[in-house]
Amino acid sequence: MTYRFYLSALRQSSGKTSVSIGLAAALRARCLRVQPFKKGPDYIDAAWLALAARRPCYHLDPYLTGFPETIRQFATQSEEADVAFVEGNKGLHDGMALDGSDSNAALAVALDLPVVLVVDVKGMTRGVAPWLLGVLEFAPKVRCAGLILNRVAGSRHEAKVRAAIDHYVGLPVFGSLPQLGPSAAIEERYLGLTPACEDEVAESRIEALRAWLEAGVDLDALLAATQAARHSPVASQTAEAQSSQEEDEELTRCAPPFVRVQRRCRLAVRFRLAYPYDKAFHFYYDEDLHRFAELGVELVPFDTTTDRRLPKCDALWLGGGFPERAAEVLSENRALRTEIFAACRDGLPTYAECGGLIYLAERLRVSDAVYPMCGLFPAEISLHARPVGRGYVALSPLPDHPWQQAQQLINQPPLLAHEFHYTSLTWLESVPPRFAWSVVRGHGIDGGHDGLVVHRTLASYAHLRNLPQWRWTDAFLSASVDAAMAAALA
């Protein structure tokens, strides 16, 4: 048997992610192969789901990749799973487009998935019925398999809510959940949930969420309502995309857990890509790590908070994260900061996203404290209480872009990415910086530009995704290999 569904909610902050994590852990405890997906660009929720399912959590983002590619991704990555589910973002009908074409509802319909709705009923009884009726009638093509009630005050409250749903709505209720206790609740902060790699009791918290879910939800009923055919219409669309199944799969040494890759060595020489994965830097897409490994790159993780030396490498990738929360530790690790500065100064191909940009600056200001960073470029980064750049961005490459494949896209339609940062950058020298990107939509560094270019380093607030029209991983690798060959011939 295979089971496929879309987990959504009526609105944001309904407890959907807690339910998703508990579900992944509970279904895995039944010895089912659980493949989670997350709609949108969220790194943090995906990392929690990956830890709970013991499999990578893949991102589905039709705004960035388009629906055909999103459908292909879901079918390909869920092919071998017993259970595959998508955790939506925000509410069922939320999205950027007024017509809802990029909403959770639209994606559920495109993937032909029944929806399991998490309904926060705190302070509600009979009033839940018209709310549900309005949400469901708003998009009649959505197939709702049933409901999970959350924040139920007690048996009396549950009985009143169930009676209203039975009488007016007629949807099955798979279970009801009480308010989460402190052992299971994941703390929220300015970029969302506390990342799993920063939570010292992440595993026990997942177990508490599993127990909470199992005690309140009839998993047998949920599975029965979401049973799917092994070869679904969606899967049949990807027959050409199913590459050789005979190649060996293995778990990589990548620090992000449970990244599965197929080894297809396409490089004629050994190429090592170093990247930090620790409490300060952990925003990486499993799909991007997969792509690098697929191309034959050896991925070498390291820890900026404990390692004193930069691993031997041919290129460096500094992902996003929370360097502002580890600023003191990062600044105290002067040996590593000095090595990274020297390597970038001497021409090591480097790509840095958001947190990586902060780390390469001269200094970081958090409240009244100032912390020295790597000092590759003369800039001060300041942390603010409100977002400076938030949402999807559109970027056009500029002539100073260090990747040749990006330069070929000058005067072409802009590339889509996303940003989410609470920091701003102040340039400290009179000589203006060189930029890689013109920002068509979004904020970037100064509202019109993004991507500082220093030596062979590109440091940007934007987070890139591999898109059907342009794979940034391939572009960075190509530029890095060219640089390595040039250095060898020098």
Side-chain angles (χ1 to χ4, degrees), residues 225-423:
T226 58
Q227 185 176 329
R230 168 61 73 176
H231 298 290
S232 68
V234 170
S236 67
Q237 297 178 30
T238 66
E240 295 181 1
Q242 300 294 334
S243 52
S244 173
Q245 298 290 327
E246 294 158 6
E247 295 171 293
D248 292 334
E249 284 194 348
E250 62 183 47
L251 290 178
T252 72
R253 185 174 172 262
C254 300
F258 324 116
V259 177
R260 291 189 181 278
V261 301
Q262 290 183 322
R263 290 294 183 186
R264 299 180 194 150
C265 187
R266 300 182 185 178
L267 293 175
V269 295
R270 184 183 183 187
F271 192 92
R272 291 166 59 90
L273 175 62
Y275 69 106
Y277 192 87
D278 49 46
K279 291 183 177 182
F281 305 99
H282 46 262
F283 287 176
Y284 301 96
Y285 288 121
D286 287 329
E287 298 93 327
D288 293 348
L289 292 164
H290 181 117
R291 179 62 179 173
F292 278 123
E294 187 180 53
L295 293 171
V297 173
E298 181 181 352
L299 295 161
V300 186
F302 66 99
D303 191 323
T304 56
T305 66
T306 59
D307 292 343
R308 312 297 291 178
R309 303 293 303 273
L310 179 67
K312 183 179 179 181
C313 61
D314 302 292
L316 175 62
W317 176 18
L318 298 170
F322 292 99
E324 65 272 21
R325 295 185 64 86
E328 185 174 0
V329 176
L330 293 174
S331 66
E332 289 175 349
N333 192 351
R334 184 175 180 179
L336 181 61
R337 289 193 291 108
T338 301
E339 281 217 356
I340 290 176
F341 166 81
C344 294
R345 177 202 59 199
D346 294 341
L348 179 70
T350 300
Y351 174 52
E353 284 189 339
C354 198
L357 178 150
I358 294 172
Y359 189 46
L360 292 179
E362 183 170 318
R363 59 183 184 250
L364 168 62
R365 181 179 295 275
V366 181
S367 298
D368 295 328
V370 177
Y371 303 95
M373 293 287 109
C374 293
L376 181 65
F377 45 82
E380 178 177 283
I381 307 292
S382 300
L383 181 66
H384 304 283
R386 298 179 63 84
V388 176
R390 180 177 186 175
Y392 291 109
V393 300
L395 307 171
S396 290
L398 295 169
D400 278 335
H401 202 296
W403 305 346
Q404 184 177 3
Q405 290 184 21
Q407 292 178 2
Q408 294 170 358
L409 298 176
I410 292 177
N411 299 323
Q412 298 297 313
L415 299 169
L416 301 179
H418 67 95
E419 65 179 344
F420 195 1
H421 54 100
Y422 280 67
T423 61

Side-chain angles (χ1 to χ4, degrees), residues 142 158 472:
V142 173
E158 179 183 355
W472 79 263

